[in-house]
């Protein structure tokens, strides 16, 4: 499970959704678009990042880090930055 899938899974649980269709609708997108985001084909829109952050309690920068680490188009030097942010988030959550 990649970082975006993990965060979307947390969002699904917090919202009480059973299906991807419900998750996608709540974020204002199609199920196909949600699939592209979780597979790293495209970046999650800022509004969806904000909604996921608010509902899960995960800081927006953590959601952004997950998106940018997963997104195939993120340049490697940027991925390194976002991987550091994601690691810090994981330390905070585990502590």
């Amino acid at each position: 499970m990649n970082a975006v899938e993990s965060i979307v899974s947390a969002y699904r649980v917090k919202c009480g959704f059973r299906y991807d269709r419900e998750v996608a609708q709540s974020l204002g997108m199609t199920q196909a678009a949600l699939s592209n985001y979780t597979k790293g084909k495209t970046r999650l829109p800022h509004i969806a990042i904000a909604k996921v952050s608010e509902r899960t309690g995960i800081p927006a920068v953590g959601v952004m880090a997950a998106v940018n680490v997963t997104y195939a188009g993120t340049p490697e030097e940027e991925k390194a930055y976002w991987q550091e942010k994601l690691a810090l988030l994981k330390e905070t959550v585990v502590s």
Side-chain angles (χ1 to χ4, degrees):
M1 184 177 291
N2 68 41
V4 172
E5 288 171 327
S6 295
I7 286 176
V8 168
S9 178
Y11 178 78
R12 178 191 326 274
V13 169
K14 289 277 187 178
C15 293
F17 296 139
R18 293 182 59 199
Y19 304 105
D20 285 344
R21 176 181 38 81
E22 296 171 305
V23 173
Q25 286 176 345
S26 74
L27 295 173
M29 63 186 66
T30 65
Q31 189 173 345
L34 178 64
S35 177
N36 285 334
Y37 298 130
T38 59
K39 291 177 182 174
K41 292 181 179 180
T42 52
R43 287 188 183 170
L44 198 62
H46 293 147
I47 188 68
I49 290 171
K51 287 178 180 180
V52 169
S53 175
E54 288 173 0
R55 187 64 173 210
T56 61
I58 298 170
V61 71
V63 179
M64 289 172 55
V67 167
N68 285 294
V69 165
T70 303
Y71 176 55
T74 302
E76 287 305 313
E77 62 275 5
E78 287 184 29
K79 274 193 182 183
Y81 172 82
W82 290 113
Q83 286 170 333
E84 287 179 24
K85 295 295 179 194
L86 199 53
L88 287 172
L89 175 67
K90 288 178 182 177
E91 284 179 17
T92 304
V93 170
V94 172
S95 302

